[in-house]
Amino acid sequence: MANFVLVHAAWHGGWEWRKVAHILRAAGHEVFTPTLSGCGENWRHVSPGIGLDTHISDVLSLIEWEELPEVIIAGHSYSGAVITGVADRIPQVVKHRLYFDAFVIQDGQSVMELTPEWRASEILSLAESHGSGWLVPPHHPERWAEEPEHRAWISRRATSHPLKTLQDRISLTGACEKVPATFALSSKFEPSPFWQFYERYQGQP
C-alpha cells in the first residue's frame, strides 16, 4: 500500500480531494490532503506574505511530522508548482509526481508567467479591485464542475487566494527531474492553460 499526499488547487482546500481520498482509503492506502496556508479552513490566517515557498513548506512539514518514508504526491492546477518544489527538496522521499491539470514549472518560472495573458490580467484586476492588491477572490464557478450540485458544493467552500503564491518564481536544483511523473489532462476543461504541458510531455516516459 502507498502513502498519497494530495495537494489542492488555488481557491480550494484539502476538501477538494474528499471523494478521491475516500476511494484510495477504501483500497487500503494512507491518504493526506493538507490545506495550504491561507486557504480553505485556514483562510482566517491569510496574509500578504504567504508565497509559494510557504506552501511548499506546508507540505514538507506534513511529510516530516507524519514520518512518511515515501510518498506519491499529486497536485491540481496551481499546486503543480507546489509538488514540484517538494519533490526537488526531498527526491529521496517522493517516489512519483502526479500533475492533474496542473502547472509544471521549471527553475526560475512562476505560475503567472505560464498563465495565458488574458487570464493573468483578470487575476491581477480582481486582486486590485476586490483583494487590496494581494488577494484574489474566487470566481468563474461555472468552470469548476459540469454538474450543478458539484459546482454548488465547490462554490460554498471556495476562498480567496494569496496572489504572491502565483507570482513567486521557483528555485529548483533539478533533483525533482529524477522523480518519475505523470501528467493527466482534463480535455473538457476549456479554456485551459494546461494543454501546453500535455503537448510538452506527450511521447515522453
Side-chain angles (χ1 to χ4, degrees):
M1 295 298 120
N3 296 312
F4 285 88
V5 176
L6 313 179
V7 190
H8 62 82
W11 301 286
H12 295 176
W15 53 263
E16 169 188 289
W17 294 100
R18 183 180 301 174
K19 293 183 179 180
V20 175
H22 178 76
I23 293 169
L24 291 172
R25 287 173 181 139
H29 301 293
E30 287 282 350
V31 184
F32 301 87
T33 58
T35 291
L36 303 172
S37 293
C39 302
E41 67 270 23
N42 297 327
W43 70 270
R44 292 179 179 83
H45 305 292
V46 70
S47 70
I50 293 175
L52 177 57
D53 277 345
T54 312
H55 286 171
I56 292 171
S57 294
D58 287 338
V59 180
L60 288 169
S61 293
L62 167 74
I63 294 170
E64 177 184 1
W65 288 102
E66 292 291 345
E67 298 183 337
L68 303 178
E70 57 182 47
V71 300
I72 296 171
I73 192 167
H76 174 209
S77 191
Y78 152 71
S79 66
V82 178
I83 70 166
T84 297
V86 172
D88 196 69
R89 307 274 183 90
I90 51 169
Q92 73 280 8
V93 175
V94 179
K95 299 306 178 185
H96 200 97
R97 301 171 286 151
L98 171 60
Y99 296 87
F100 176 70
D101 256 10
F103 290 92
V104 189
I105 66 176
Q106 298 175 334
D107 184 46
Q109 292 183 326
S110 70
V111 168
M112 282 291 272
E113 73 178 81
L114 295 174
T115 299
E117 186 176 349
W118 68 267
R119 177 74 175 122
S121 296
E122 180 182 49
I123 289 171
L124 291 172
S125 177
L126 283 166
E128 191 62 35
S129 59
H130 293 89
S132 301
W134 61 272
L135 197 59
V136 187
H139 52 286
H140 291 314
E142 73 280 357
R143 299 182 66 209
W144 290 342
E146 288 185 305
E147 305 82 0
E149 182 179 349
H150 193 195
R151 190 183 307 156
W153 180 75
I154 297 172
S155 296
R156 290 195 301 271
R157 291 162 173 78
T159 51
S160 294
H161 191 83
L163 178 62
K164 188 176 187 297
T165 64
L166 308 176
Q167 296 177 316
D168 282 349
R169 297 182 183 276
I170 199 166
S171 179
L172 301 173
T173 66
C176 61
E177 297 299 325
K178 300 175 184 178
V179 180
T182 299
F183 186 85
L185 177 77
S186 174
S187 60
K188 289 186 177 182
F189 179 61
E190 290 288 356
S192 169
F194 304 118
W195 283 94
Q196 61 182 304
F197 308 111
Y198 172 80
E199 292 166 0
R200 180 194 300 173
Y201 296 112
Q202 192 175 31
Q204 293 190 25

